[in-house]
Amino acid sequence: MGERQRAVESVGVTPWHPMVVHFPLALVVTAAALLLAARLVPRDSHAGILATVGTWNLCLGALAALFALGTGLVGLIDLHVGPDARRSISMHAAWALFTSLSLLLLAVWRGAGNGLASRPSWLLLIILLATTGALIFTGYRGGQNVYRYGVGVSQVRAAQ
């Protein structure tokens, strides 16, 4: 184990990524459902509440995605894996970068461009649903890195 890897593990950076990736997934999926419901419900009072909570979830989900992206990139420091795992990690990182930036732009569009209680536009919803699908695919690719290639999984040596 290299000196840099020991330093990263000593500050507790390595185990953060698997924990924080669940927050953007939960927040963004909930935001998409709430904002879609806000668009579809007939009563304006209910739509306003759904839109407000959905907007907050989207903004928090975008911030959580940036934090997950950062912890994932830090986790790549001194990572030694084979070429197949490296290709899979690269694809996961590319999707993570795309979805994080997309979520950030959507959060700014929704949070700064409209009143919190206003019904979201169909265009925003379509892009949000597509981005939510991309985020789910990103999570799937991350799971493949762990379960297929063993990235981030340490092996315990048997006592001799």
Side-chain angles (χ1 to χ4, degrees), residues 57-146:
N57 272 284
L58 177 59
C59 293
L60 292 173
L63 290 175
L66 291 175
F67 189 61
L69 178 66
T71 59
L73 293 175
V74 167
L76 290 176
I77 296 172
D78 286 338
L79 184 65
H80 303 289
V81 294
D84 290 340
R86 177 67 60 189
R87 256 189 311 279
S88 182
I89 292 167
S90 295
M91 180 182 284
H92 174 62
W95 277 92
L97 184 61
F98 167 75
T99 54
S100 296
L101 293 176
S102 297
L103 287 169
L104 184 62
L105 291 173
L106 283 167
V108 169
W109 179 6
R110 177 67 193 156
N114 302 302
L116 287 179
S118 67
R119 292 180 191 258
S121 69
W122 281 111
L123 180 60
L124 181 128
L125 285 172
I126 290 167
I127 296 170
L128 176 59
L129 290 172
T131 303
T132 302
L135 182 66
I136 291 169
F137 182 73
T138 302
Y140 171 77
R141 295 299 311 173
Q144 289 294 304
N145 291 338
V146 173

Side-chain angles (χ1 to χ4, degrees), residues 4 6-7 23 28 33-34 36 45 48 74 82 92 112-113 123 133 146 153 155 158:
R4 179 78 172 148
R6 269 191 242 107
F23 288 97
V28 171
L34 290 170
L36 182 62
S45 61
V74 167
H92 174 62
L123 180 60
V146 173
V153 177
Q155 295 180 355

